[in-house]
Amino acid sequence: AADEAAATAWYDGPTLLEALDAFQEVSRPTDAALRLCVMDVFKSPTLGAVTVSAKVEGGLVRAGNRLVIVPRLTPCTVKAMAVAGTSVRVARAGDTVECGLTGVDITALNVGQVLCHAAAPMPMARRVRCRLFTLDALRTPLVEGQHLTAHVRGVEVPCVVTRLIHTLGVGGGGVRTKTKRPRFVVGAGVSEVKVRLDRAMPMELYGDHPRLGRFLLRQGGGTPPA
């Protein structure tokens, strides 16, 4: 006991179990527009010949809902659902759910698509202004006209950097402009740039939906930009 007390004298915080019990439940945006992001497409012996595995990023979905598949706005109907192998009637933001669909051919579905209510489809974007967090591994300068690959929810999309707007610094109580219209970006840092994707992708404004307003940029198989 004495040895244990000596070994833990430096720490006076909660135990592991106390810390776990103190966690607050994360609020789920169930009142937001439905955003059901497709992660896999397959045939299921229980849910039917057209089944998707998807993450509910916003809102909620019920069995029987009529939805559209963004980007082509193809209509479909949710026949049945399961979460962790258990049949459910409702899936909420934060759930990973398998949905059996009717009214649509399986060839119309792909990873990266988003199922939404027809009245509030997810917006599409091809030209994006983004805040870019680069890693120290970025040794080759990033310049205007450079070709990269954008990874958007499991989909790879070629893209090009069309404009370096400014680099940013953090300090003095907030984010401030460090260098306007830099010639290049290199090393770890934060900058704002404009990117043009080869094709439009479903994408939200970061301020409206952070999880759906992020994407990854890669260069030559690595990830120096982020």
Side-chain angles (χ1 to χ4, degrees):
D3 291 342
E4 181 179 346
T8 59
W10 59 274
Y11 182 73
D12 60 359
T15 66
L16 175 60
L17 292 179
E18 288 170 344
L20 291 175
D21 288 340
F23 282 161
Q24 300 295 315
E25 184 177 357
V26 177
S27 61
R28 299 186 178 193
T30 55
D31 57 347
L34 175 64
R35 299 291 183 256
L36 190 61
C37 300
V38 177
M39 301 185 298
D40 195 9
V41 183
F42 56 98
K43 297 180 180 180
S44 167
T46 55
L47 294 175
V50 183
T51 301
V52 297
S53 175
K55 179 69 177 293
V56 188
E57 294 288 3
L60 54 85
V61 59
R62 302 177 188 274
N65 277 167
R66 299 183 68 182
L67 308 176
V68 294
I69 305 166
V70 175
R72 291 190 174 88
L73 301 182
T74 307
C76 64
T77 300
V78 179
K79 180 180 68 173
M81 302 187 299
V83 173
T86 301
S87 178
V88 297
R89 297 289 298 174
V90 180
R92 296 173 174 81
D95 289 339
T96 298
V97 60
E98 293 180 354
C99 298
L101 305 177
T102 60
V104 64
D105 192 272
I106 195 169
T107 58
L109 288 153
N110 291 290
V111 172
Q113 293 176 331
V114 184
L115 276 66
C116 311
H117 291 298
M122 187 167 170
M124 301 288 292
R126 187 182 178 198
R127 298 176 185 272
V128 181
R129 176 171 175 159
C130 58
R131 182 164 292 182
L132 185 67
F133 294 82
T134 50
L135 308 179
D136 190 53
L138 181 60
R139 302 299 184 185
T140 303
L142 186 68
V143 298
E144 292 179 1
Q146 191 157 349
H147 290 266
L148 304 169
T149 302
H151 291 249
V152 186
R153 293 182 305 280
V155 180
E156 295 185 0
V157 184
C159 65
V160 62
V161 178
T162 58
R163 189 175 181 88
L164 302 178
I165 301 169
H166 49 230
T167 59
L168 299 170
V170 179
V175 177
R176 56 182 174 78
T177 299
K178 186 176 180 182
T179 305
K180 293 183 178 180
R181 297 291 286 127
R183 294 175 57 194
F184 59 86
V185 173
V186 68
V190 184
S191 56
E192 287 196 2
V193 306
K194 290 184 178 180
V195 175
R196 185 181 69 244
L197 306 174
D198 269 16
R199 66 180 187 273
M201 292 293 294
M203 200 172 294
E204 297 276 7
L205 291 173
Y206 181 83
D208 293 340
H209 205 308
R211 288 182 61 86
L212 298 178
R214 296 189 186 111
F215 59 94
L216 182 71
L217 292 177
R218 304 193 74 187
Q219 179 186 52
T223 315

